[in-house]
Amino acid sequence: MDSFVKRTKEITSKVGVILPSEAKFKLMLKEQLGNNYKMIKSRWVYSPVDFLIFNKDNLKCIYIEQKRRNEKHNNKYKSIIVNHSKIVNCKRNYPNTLFVFEYDDVYKYIKYSDKIFDKFDGGTVLKQDVVFIPNDKITSGSIEDLSKFIKKIID
């Protein structure tokens, strides 16, 4: 069995609730971050964030809300949709959150900020309140770029 697949299955079996895409994301990002950073997956199914990453030296941390998106939608729309409840939870409890949208090998990410997110339009899609994050406000790059961005925040 491929070692990557084997490690993904090991992570999936050890953590309460983790999707295969989350396990893969965790492995890839942890590999880029290195040993000075600890990455913890939430065990609560309804957690507003998926991961906590902290720097072992200074204990600075960031929350990650990771969403896997279909590659065929990459750059198809002018914005990325996020459920409004995620934004409300960030505002109340998780202000240091990084939203990460994964499209195969491309990662789009934006750090939560009241100042920035309060300017985004909201609406209703499929009877759900949502927020539209414009693509031009989102950084796009590789897993290495994402790792560097996270390190800048918590180093």
Side-chain angles (χ1 to χ4, degrees), residues 3-15:
S3 66
F4 185 77
V5 172
K6 184 177 178 184
R7 289 186 0 222
T8 301
K9 286 182 178 182
E10 287 172 5
I11 288 176
T12 305
S13 67
K14 288 180 185 175
V15 177

Side-chain angles (χ1 to χ4, degrees), residues 71-79 108 135:
E71 181 63 35
K72 71 180 181 179
H73 298 300
N74 189 8
N75 297 319
K76 184 176 180 180
Y77 303 103
K78 293 180 182 178
S79 59
K108 294 185 175 187
N135 278 324

Side-chain angles (χ1 to χ4, degrees), residues 11 19 46 54 56 58-59 72 91 96 113 147 150:
I11 288 176
L19 301 171
Y46 302 108
F54 68 90
K56 292 178 185 177
N58 60 23
L59 300 182
K72 71 180 181 179
K91 185 175 261 191
N96 198 28
S113 157
S147 172
I150 291 168

Side-chain angles (χ1 to χ4, degrees), residues 101-128:
F101 308 96
E102 180 184 356
Y103 299 85
D104 290 344
D105 295 332
V106 176
Y107 296 84
K108 294 185 175 187
Y109 44 96
I110 182 169
K111 187 172 180 306
Y112 176 79
S113 157
D114 290 343
K115 185 177 175 181
I116 295 170
F117 275 65
D118 285 348
K119 295 178 184 175
F120 296 156
D121 292 332
T124 304
V125 175
L126 300 173
K127 299 181 182 179
Q128 295 284 317

Side-chain angles (χ1 to χ4, degrees), residues 128-139:
Q128 295 284 317
D129 291 334
V130 298
V131 173
F132 299 97
I133 303 174
N135 278 324
D136 64 351
K137 303 294 183 195
I138 299 174
T139 304

